[in-house]
Amino acid sequence: MTTSAPVPALDRDMIARLRADIIASSWTTDTLDELLSDGALSALMRDSRLPALVELAGVDAPAATLTRFFIGGQPERASALDAALPTLGAAGLETLGLAATIDEDEAASALVMPRPCSKSAPKRERAQASEGEEASFPTAPALPTMRDPDEEPEPEAVADPWMRALYDLRPHAAALPGGEHEWWVTSDLGEGQTGKPLADHHVMGIGGATRTLLEMTVRDQVDSALDVGCGCGIQALYLATHARRVVATDLSARACALTQFNAALNETKIDVREGSLFEPVEGETFDLIVTNPPFVITPDTVRCASGMHEYRDGGMDRDNLIAAVLRGAPSCMAPGGTLQMLANWEIPESRNPDTQWSQRVDEWLDGLPVDAWVVQRDVLDPARYVDMWIRDSGGPLMARADYERAYTSWLVDFRRAGTGAIGMGFVALRRLDEAEAASGGRHAFDLSLDGHAPRGRDVSWALASLRGPELWDTVLTRASDVREERHYVPGSPDPELLILHQGGGLGRSVPVSSAVSAVVGASDGELTVGQIVAAVAMLTSVEADDVRAEVEAPLRDLIRWGFLTY
């Protein structure tokens, strides 16, 4: 596995020393919580490092040094790194390719904390020094002294050069069904740390989209799992906590190298393979597949002008990368296996982005032996989509002419394609067995799940509910956290609006009719839906068939969203 861009050395002995030093320094997410305020931690999540650097200024604890250096992107003296990593040392960091020596000028230009004036010190600092406190202002150089030529020369002072990090390295923790886990994850430095636009070969760390996929992944114990487009390997590290065998693939050789490094740093066995999508695992099947593929819709004009950012652009035309993943996935899924992915799709100008968005995705799923749950969590017009992705790769750091040229080229491409909006969301698939496939796959499309982002158990339940028992013969139980809100016109005895609220699960609030409310209210695990519908029909003097027609679709939705279980 080769790559033209530098990658950390896969020296397992030195990586083990790095791991031991990090553990000894207690550089964990809990320690970061102690070192930094909530505001500074929140800023780091937004890739804003300055609040953390202000709070850590002058703190010499090893964890503070490592945080400033690897997360804050601040230069540190080699001696400080030697103290923070006593087994590996600054020289070891350089050998691993994680850090480099820099000169005084480069260090001075990178340091962001205010430094005292070299000519004189403020009166307050002089006063502090007179009281026995360490002076922070520079002292005058000592006068030269006469030396006897026959004396042994004094040893020269050991140089203590400045060093800078070449990668982002940070702790990451998760509470999973199998227990608590702590990892250290290496990725490329972001533009906030370097002050430069992202390189074409940039390997992302743990961003918001990554966290969304991590949260919604089903965490049942499985025999095999696959991470497609592994990037820095964080999805694969999670998978290794509940899968006996984990394979990670990526078209980027550099991403594969970083995944291998992180697997070694975290003493985790991951089979890393270079290649496009499912090509490296042809002929194999998996119980669980996760992927955050490089799905950004990028025109060739933009690629030619500013290059192809591998972490987000798969090099395919329009949104066809998502089609390729969906069409290729079933052959790699074991019967009953699950695929979970983030995606986006184009919505033609002629279609309503709120009511007709699913047609394109449904076409991709047509004929596949899978059940599918597809959620459009957001919809962007082309201008907002373009602005978001240009800013993502360092747009504010681009020259104005380059920024505007890329922006207009992108918009023109969408106009020529007749794209009215771009939907963004996620797809979950379950591979059918032969008997299920004979009747065809079942697909559910939800728009903008307000409330909580789905967790693994929510996804698992939603897919299972598509194959639930016959509705009218099913005994349903209302979730204990469901509450009803009623709105009345003043003086009216009947409510004008009824809303069901879900305290847990997806945290949704759903308007319902009085008939649906009555069925949900009576669903206490005793009567079938058919029996409840018959009773509602009798009480309201409405034909039972009419009540069934009114409540069937809403009840199936409420089951899928976890308001009702069977």
Side-chain angles (χ1 to χ4, degrees):
M1 182 180 302
T2 60
T3 173
S4 59
V7 295
L10 194 62
D11 184 322
R12 297 186 184 277
D13 176 64
M14 298 195 75
I15 292 172
R17 289 157 61 186
L18 172 62
R19 175 181 173 84
D21 283 341
I22 288 175
I23 292 173
S25 73
S26 298
W27 192 33
T28 65
T29 54
D30 286 343
T31 301
L32 289 184
D33 288 342
E34 297 172 2
L35 287 172
L36 298 172
S37 67
D38 290 344
L41 288 169
S42 177
L44 282 181
M45 294 289 290
R46 303 190 305 271
D47 294 326
S48 176
R49 65 196 177 114
L50 298 183
L53 291 177
V54 169
E55 293 183 9
L56 293 177
V59 182
D60 59 2
T65 300
L66 296 175
T67 302
R68 286 194 302 266
F69 188 66
F70 283 113
I71 304 178
Q74 281 290 276
E76 290 284 342
R77 292 286 190 184
S79 59
L81 296 172
D82 287 338
L85 303 169
T87 304
L88 182 69
L93 280 179
E94 198 158 15
T95 301
L96 278 175
L98 296 179
T101 300
I102 58 176
D103 60 29
E104 294 284 338
D105 289 341
E106 184 177 347
S109 66
L111 291 168
V112 301
M113 292 303 299
R115 305 179 74 186
C117 176
S118 59
K119 294 182 179 179
S120 62
K123 292 181 179 179
R124 180 177 57 84
E125 293 182 350
R126 293 185 183 276
Q128 289 175 345
S130 66
E131 294 172 4
E133 297 183 16
E134 182 180 353
S136 59
F137 51 88
T139 58
L143 294 174
T145 58
M146 299 298 291
R147 180 179 301 280
D148 187 330
D150 294 329
E151 288 182 3
E152 290 289 330
E154 293 184 7
E156 293 184 8
V158 177
D160 188 13
W162 287 99
M163 301 190 74
R164 68 178 178 89
L166 299 179
Y167 292 89
D168 183 297
L169 173 62
R170 65 182 67 198
H172 176 77
L176 299 176
E180 302 284 334
H181 297 271
E182 187 90 39
W183 295 286
W184 293 271
V185 181
T186 310
S187 61
D188 276 324
L189 296 168
E191 62 186 51
Q193 296 155 314
T194 66
K196 301 176 182 178
L198 303 183
D200 292 352
H201 56 253
H202 183 83
V203 177
M204 291 287 290
I206 305 171
T210 298
R211 293 177 186 275
T212 296
L213 184 56
L214 290 170
E215 182 73 15
M216 65 179 282
T217 298
V218 176
R219 297 297 172 194
D220 296 338
Q221 291 291 323
V222 294
D223 182 67
S224 58
L226 171 65
D227 177 9
V228 178
C230 56
C232 69
I234 184 61
Q235 304 288 346
L237 289 173
Y238 271 65
L239 293 174
T241 67
H242 61 102
R244 185 186 63 82
R245 179 174 69 95
V246 177
V247 177
T249 71
D250 204 297
L251 183 61
S252 165
R254 197 157 183 279
C256 290
L258 278 167
T259 293
Q260 287 181 320
F261 183 89
N262 285 326
L265 180 59
N266 293 285
E267 297 183 338
T268 303
K269 185 177 180 181
I270 299 172
D271 181 359
V272 184
R273 307 179 193 178
E274 181 184 344
S276 178
L277 300 180
F278 301 106
E279 290 176 1
V281 294
E282 185 176 358
E284 300 177 55
T285 59
F286 298 86
D287 301 306
L288 176 61
I289 301 174
V290 297
T291 178
N292 180 14
F295 54 69
V296 178
I297 303 162
T298 312
D300 287 336
T301 51
V302 174
R303 292 182 184 130
C304 292
S306 58
M308 187 180 82
H309 291 89
E310 295 176 346
Y311 73 93
R312 71 180 196 190
D313 180 5
M316 293 192 183
D317 183 49
R318 315 232 57 81
D319 55 6
N320 286 315
L321 180 78
I322 302 303
V325 174
L326 294 180
R327 301 298 294 183
S331 63
C332 293
M333 299 169 67
T338 304
L339 174 137
Q340 295 177 251
M341 67 181 292
L342 303 183
N344 65 190
W345 39 81
E346 291 182 277
I347 304 170
E349 289 178 315
S350 59
R351 295 180 183 170
N352 186 312
D354 293 330
T355 59
Q356 298 174 304
W357 64 269
S358 63
Q359 293 182 25
R360 184 160 179 78
V361 184
D362 204 23
E363 291 169 0
W364 293 336
L365 296 171
D366 185 42
L368 296 180
V370 296
D371 286 341
W373 185 36
V374 185
V375 176
Q376 178 169 285
R377 296 208 65 184
D378 201 1
V379 60
L380 301 179
D381 62 69
R384 287 179 60 203
Y385 185 87
V386 170
D387 185 67
M388 177 181 71
W389 288 116
I390 289 184
R391 290 181 179 277
D392 170 80
S393 58
L397 301 175
M398 296 169 62
R400 178 174 178 176
D402 293 336
Y403 177 90
E404 293 185 346
R405 193 175 298 114
Y407 197 115
T408 54
S409 295
W410 218 326
L411 275 184
V412 168
D413 181 75
F414 277 130
R415 285 179 64 84
R416 287 173 177 168
T419 302
I422 300 92
M424 307 183 71
F426 63 83
V427 179
L429 306 180
R430 189 182 73 85
R431 179 68 157 85
L432 306 179
D433 59 30
E434 290 187 12
E436 292 170 327
S439 61
R442 300 177 183 177
H443 309 156
F445 298 93
D446 285 326
L447 176 65
S448 184
L449 287 180
D450 55 339
H452 312 310
R455 287 156 292 187
R457 60 178 176 270
D458 301 318
V459 175
S460 183
W461 170 257
L463 287 172
S465 72
L466 300 178
R467 296 270 162 184
E470 171 61 34
L471 181 62
W472 312 118
D473 297 331
T474 301
V475 175
L476 295 176
T477 301
R478 182 183 64 258
S480 61
D481 58 3
V482 173
R483 297 292 182 268
E484 184 176 82
E485 176 184 353
R486 296 188 170 211
H487 293 256
Y488 293 83
V489 173
S492 172
D494 299 316
E496 185 179 60
L497 175 66
L498 296 90
I499 303 174
L500 295 181
H501 296 288
Q502 187 180 32
L506 297 175
R508 300 211 68 186
S509 295
V510 182
V512 295
S513 69
S514 57
V516 172
S517 171
V519 174
V520 172
S523 295
D524 57 4
E526 297 292 334
L527 301 174
T528 67
V529 176
Q531 291 171 323
I532 297 173
V533 165
V536 170
M538 183 178 65
L539 291 172
T540 58
S541 301
V542 177
E543 292 292 329
D545 287 345
D546 293 336
V547 176
R548 289 190 181 205
E550 179 182 340
V551 305
E552 181 175 8
L555 286 179
R556 294 191 187 281
D557 289 341
L558 292 173
I559 291 171
R560 184 168 66 255
W561 300 332
F563 285 78
L564 298 163
T565 59
Y566 49 80

